Amino acid sequence: MRNQFFGDNHDLFKYDLLFIILSDIKELKSLFYIPMLTPDIKNGHGERHGNNTDRARATAGYENEKLREFLDMRIKDEPRDFRKIKDFFDKHGNKK
């Protein structure tokens, strides 16, 4: 996982799936998500890649409006930081 991609449509799918698992499986007491962080890729002009953020092209997770709005705000962050997803789950995650 690269921070430069944080908030894109792949994350919308991935974190929506984790959200559904946490919400639907009542017996689940905890869930660990440990991504492998790799360095960002820069093109020849020093620009970021990973702007797959056209939500009209999202194939999953689009209906999770709170997550979508949260990730849309994170796309604007400089630098992007995937650890901020914890803020979303702390606020909207399944509270037992």
Side-chain angles (χ1 to χ4, degrees), residues 9 12-13 16 55-65 68:
N9 288 337
L12 181 61
F13 168 77
D16 184 51
R55 299 298 187 213
R57 298 182 65 196
T59 56
Y62 186 82
E63 292 181 11
N64 189 334
E65 186 176 336
R68 192 177 70 239

Side-chain angles (χ1 to χ4, degrees), residues 27 30 35 37 43 45 50 52-53 60 74 88 90-91 94:
E27 297 82 22
S30 63
L37 190 60
N43 69 14
H45 305 287
N52 180 17
T53 57
R74 300 297 68 82
F88 175 81
D90 285 347
K91 184 174 182 180
N94 187 18

Side-chain angles (χ1 to χ4, degrees), residues 6 10 16 38 51 66 72 84-85:
F6 181 61
H10 298 286
D16 184 51
T38 55
N51 289 321
K66 290 178 183 175
D72 286 347
K84 292 184 179 180
I85 194 63

Side-chain angles (χ1 to χ4, degrees), residues 19-96:
F19 185 81
I20 290 168
I21 290 169
L22 286 169
S23 298
D24 288 355
I25 303 175
K26 302 301 180 196
E27 297 82 22
L28 188 64
K29 300 211 183 286
S30 63
L31 177 73
F32 289 95
Y33 170 71
I34 304 172
M36 183 180 77
L37 190 60
T38 55
D40 289 352
I41 300 171
K42 303 277 185 179
N43 69 14
H45 305 287
E47 298 170 5
R48 289 191 315 203
H49 294 261
N51 289 321
N52 180 17
T53 57
D54 180 0
R55 299 298 187 213
R57 298 182 65 196
T59 56
Y62 186 82
E63 292 181 11
N64 189 334
E65 186 176 336
K66 290 178 183 175
L67 176 61
R68 192 177 70 239
E69 289 172 358
F70 178 84
L71 292 177
D72 286 347
M73 293 303 296
R74 300 297 68 82
I75 289 169
K76 298 173 186 175
D77 290 348
E78 284 292 334
R80 292 188 196 175
D81 185 352
F82 81 95
R83 294 174 295 183
K84 292 184 179 180
I85 194 63
K86 182 182 182 310
D87 298 339
F88 175 81
F89 282 99
D90 285 347
K91 184 174 182 180
H92 300 290
N94 187 18
K95 296 179 174 68
K96 297 190 185 281

